[in-house]
Amino acid sequence: MLKENEIETAIRILREPRTRMDIVYLLLLLIPIGKVVSYSTLAHILKTTPRVIARYLAMNKYAPLIPCHRVVTKRGELGGYTPGGREMKRRLLRLEGVEVQQDRVPTHVYFDCQLKQLLT
DNA sequence: CGACGAAGTCGCC
DNA sequence: GGCGACTTCGTCG
């Protein structure tokens, strides 16, 4: 169950995204359960670099309300996760049905192409 | 304002 | 598969 202030935050972001960070959060909400996207693609969409996307996600105080665990490396590695670390990230992904082996995700769970198409 | 450093990526070996 | 260079911008001084 969400806390009241979390709900308020979510609604605020949905109604009026104020920062580039908010935009990233909105994009994350488009990812279906069981799929992932790469830092690289998000960076491409926002015309910035993967490093910056990672920064935005790291600042995400609302995890896992904002599903930043669905963002992984372009080459199939898990990438980081701030509170809880890789352990937590792997667990969250598995809960959503993503098969993770040796901290890597298979290429067929990537949602990158569809996400780009949604935005054209 | 200037400097710092980070949840990545690419090219080279 | 490991290593170094490069990138961008929120935060801190």
Side-chain angles (χ1 to χ4, degrees), chain A residues 20-21 23-24 27 41-48 53 56:
Chain A
R20 292 168 69 71
M21 231 167 70
I23 306 288
V24 173
L27 289 176
T41 295
L42 292 177
H44 188 74
I45 292 171
L46 292 214
K47 296 187 169 61
T48 180
I53 300 296
Y56 290 149

Side-chain angles (χ1 to χ4, degrees), chain A residues 31-73:
Chain A
I31 309 169
I33 294 176
K35 297 271 180 180
V36 300
V37 294
S38 64
Y39 295 95
S40 181
T41 295
L42 292 177
H44 188 74
I45 292 171
L46 292 214
K47 296 187 169 61
T48 180
T49 63
R51 218 64 208 268
V52 170
I53 300 296
R55 270 180 81 76
Y56 290 149
L57 300 188
M59 279 184 255
N60 169 24
K61 292 168 290 193
Y62 320 108
L65 170 66
I66 304 287
C68 54
H69 58 275
R70 295 192 196 133
V71 185
V72 298
T73 289

Side-chain angles (χ1 to χ4, degrees), chain A residues 71-115:
Chain A
V71 185
V72 298
T73 289
K74 191 177 189 181
R75 306 196 179 176
E77 298 131 16
L78 283 190
Y81 196 71
T82 309
R86 276 198 163 81
E87 298 289 317
M88 181 61 63
K89 190 164 185 174
R90 188 191 318 125
R91 243 179 80 200
L92 289 168
L93 286 173
R94 285 234 175 95
L95 279 177
E96 299 186 345
V98 178
E99 58 173 301
V100 185
Q101 292 188 27
Q102 307 287 0
D103 276 1
R104 309 194 97 244
V105 300
T107 50
H108 69 268
V109 301
Y110 277 84
F111 189 65
D112 294 45
C113 295
Q114 294 93 319
L115 181 60

